[in-house]
Amino acid sequence: MAPSFLLALPFLLFQASLVSAVPSVTTIQVGQGNCAGFPNSYKNSGNDADAFVFHPDQADNPRINGLQTGIVGTSLVVYESNTTASAIFCCWRSAVKDAFFTQDLLLSPSPGDKELRYLTDGVKPETYAHEINGVRQDGIFLGISNVTTWAFRRTQAHPEYYQIRLAPGSGEPLYEGEFKGFLKVLPP
């Protein structure tokens, strides 16, 4: 006869899957829309910051926390494996750029497209601090218009990486297989 805790295990696993790892946070913009909130920013100029990377953090699927990010095609993605180095970004004149200062990383202005990608026109990402119950949390997070929660999903067509998009509002559903988390901004 199986111990009683084994009989309860499926129920406990189901309950655990309903719990979100993404905490409810208060966002506080850092840098007021310029580069001052990014790591390695120049103290005398809020319009420039040297190298930084993005890593998933506090995701509902903790397996991706800390994984490397990079660009596939023109979109920011999370690599399934840490064998690929993170893409390096910098900030110049209040815009997130690739390491060569040639392309801007922006959120598409199209309502249905919430991915960060290399574009010539779009919404600039911003830096935020998080507070929980009035206590400032460690780190700087990427967001737009006070939203710092991102949605991640792996597609059948590309299982080697996770797509990233700004998480939908409270009335909008996630896509099938999608989960939420934050994008932390760190020095490389």
Side-chain angles (χ1 to χ4, degrees):
M1 185 164 165
S4 60
F5 76 89
L6 288 178
L7 296 173
L9 189 58
F11 175 77
L12 292 173
L13 290 174
F14 173 75
Q15 292 296 323
S17 69
L18 296 178
V19 175
S20 175
V22 179
S24 176
V25 299
T26 300
T27 59
I28 301 157
Q29 189 174 15
V30 178
Q32 305 311 313
N34 61 21
C35 299
F38 288 97
N40 300 324
S41 65
Y42 296 108
K43 294 191 187 293
N44 296 331
S45 171
N47 287 328
D48 301 307
D50 275 342
F52 52 85
V53 296
F54 306 120
H55 286 183
D57 189 65
Q58 300 176 52
D60 286 338
N61 177 352
R63 195 170 165 274
I64 74 161
N65 290 337
L67 288 179
Q68 309 295 324
T69 59
I71 300 293
V72 172
T74 60
S75 297
L76 184 68
V77 301
V78 176
Y79 295 116
E80 171 65 25
S81 165
N82 267 338
T83 59
T84 304
S86 277
I88 303 289
F89 297 95
C90 54
C91 190
W92 185 62
R93 296 187 178 170
S94 301
V96 175
K97 301 248 184 211
D98 67 344
F100 302 105
F101 294 91
T102 59
Q103 300 180 84
D104 291 346
L105 188 67
L106 300 167
L107 186 74
S108 172
S110 301
D113 180 6
K114 299 286 189 177
E115 290 185 39
L116 280 172
R117 42 177 103 229
Y118 288 144
L119 297 168
T120 56
D121 183 39
V123 181
K124 293 178 185 179
E126 303 161 331
T127 50
Y128 292 88
H130 285 168
E131 282 188 1
I132 298 176
N133 297 324
V135 177
R136 189 157 186 158
Q137 304 301 298
D138 183 43
I140 296 295
F141 300 88
L142 197 67
I144 295 169
S145 300
N146 290 319
V147 176
T148 59
T149 305
W150 297 85
F152 303 88
R153 76 176 172 143
R154 194 163 39 174
T155 65
Q156 289 181 349
H158 299 286
E160 67 276 15
Y161 60 82
Y162 292 85
Q163 294 175 321
I164 306 169
R165 70 182 181 116
L166 195 62
S170 59
E172 302 172 57
L174 292 172
Y175 296 142
E176 184 175 334
E178 210 169 34
F179 55 91
K180 292 180 181 180
F182 300 120
L183 279 176
K184 199 169 201 175
V185 186
L186 301 161

